Amino acid sequence: MKHTISALVKNKTGVLAESSAAFQDNKINITSISCGETENMDVSRMVICAEGSREEITKVTEQLKAMDFVIQLDDLARKEFVDRELVLIKVEVNKDTMSQIMQIFEVFRADVVGMGQKTITVELSGDQERVEGLIKILQPFGIKSLCRTGMIALKRGDE
C-alpha cells in the first residue's frame, strides 16, 4: 500500500539522513522524498512516499515521532491532501515528430524550457498521475533524459 508521510522537522544537519535511515532499518523502500524550508526558515517540511503495510508504516512513523527533530508528523494516506510533482523531460524530436510532440505538450499544459538540434526539454507540474501520463505518452518518441522532484503534499482544508 502506498503511503504519503508529511513531517514538519527542525531545519538542521542530518535530519533527512536520520529519517531515511529509519525506513531502511525497517526495510521499507522510499519511492520519493522531498524536503524544503517552510514559511519558517527554522522548520522544513519533508514529504516521504513509501510502500508498505499499515503495520510497517505505523512502526516507522512511531520511530520518527520519537526523534527530537520531528515537530509534527501525518500519514496523509488516511487524509485528503493536495499533491504535486515537477518533472523535466528531454525528448528526441525531428521534423516529422515535432508537431505531434508539441500537441502533446499543449494537451498536458507542459512548458517548453529548452531546445536543441535533436531534442526538446519540457517541464510539467501536476499530480503523479498527470506526470506519469506525460512520461508514458512520450516514451515512444525517445526520452533522452528525465528528472523528477518527488511528490510534495499538504493536507486539504483548514488543518
Side-chain angles (χ1 to χ4, degrees):
M1 182 173 171
K2 289 184 180 184
H3 291 264
T4 303
I5 296 149
S6 176
L8 290 175
V9 295
K10 293 179 184 171
N11 190 6
K12 65 178 197 171
T13 305
V15 168
L16 188 59
E18 284 187 56
S19 299
S20 60
F23 284 83
Q24 180 182 4
D25 293 346
N26 286 281
K27 298 184 179 7
I28 298 171
N29 184 44
I30 294 173
T31 57
S32 167
I33 189 166
S34 299
C35 189
E37 289 179 352
T38 65
E39 66 281 0
N40 177 346
M41 289 177 39
D42 296 327
V43 177
S44 290
R45 180 174 304 277
M46 187 171 11
V47 178
I48 302 169
C49 298
E51 292 192 23
S53 69
R54 181 168 286 156
E55 295 78 24
E56 291 171 324
I57 298 298
T58 298
K59 183 178 177 186
V60 75
T61 55
E62 291 304 318
Q63 274 184 273
L64 289 170
K65 286 178 185 176
M67 295 180 176
D68 68 336
F69 55 79
V70 174
I71 300 165
Q72 180 184 349
L73 188 135
D74 288 303
D75 183 350
L76 298 180
R78 300 179 189 166
K79 298 183 167 91
E80 290 276 327
F81 63 94
V82 177
D83 65 281
R84 291 292 179 266
E85 183 174 11
L86 173 67
V87 64
L88 293 172
I89 304 170
K90 185 181 290 188
V91 64
E92 288 183 39
V93 292
N94 59 48
K95 63 181 168 86
D96 298 327
T97 62
M98 178 63 91
S99 65
Q100 190 177 2
I101 289 172
M102 292 304 289
Q103 286 176 345
I104 292 168
F105 294 164
E106 189 175 321
V107 167
F108 278 86
R109 293 186 307 270
D111 295 319
V112 174
V113 293
M115 290 189 76
Q117 296 292 323
K118 299 176 185 175
T119 62
I120 189 166
T121 304
V122 66
E123 74 175 2
L124 175 73
S125 172
D127 60 27
Q128 285 187 316
E129 291 80 19
R130 187 168 168 214
V131 169
E132 292 287 342
L134 180 61
I135 292 168
K136 185 176 179 180
I137 205 162
L138 290 176
Q139 282 175 335
F141 294 99
I143 294 175
K144 299 298 287 180
S145 188
L146 185 144
C147 183
R148 297 171 78 162
T149 60
M151 186 188 345
I152 57 172
L154 288 175
K155 289 185 278 187
R156 285 191 187 273
D158 295 332
E159 265 188 81

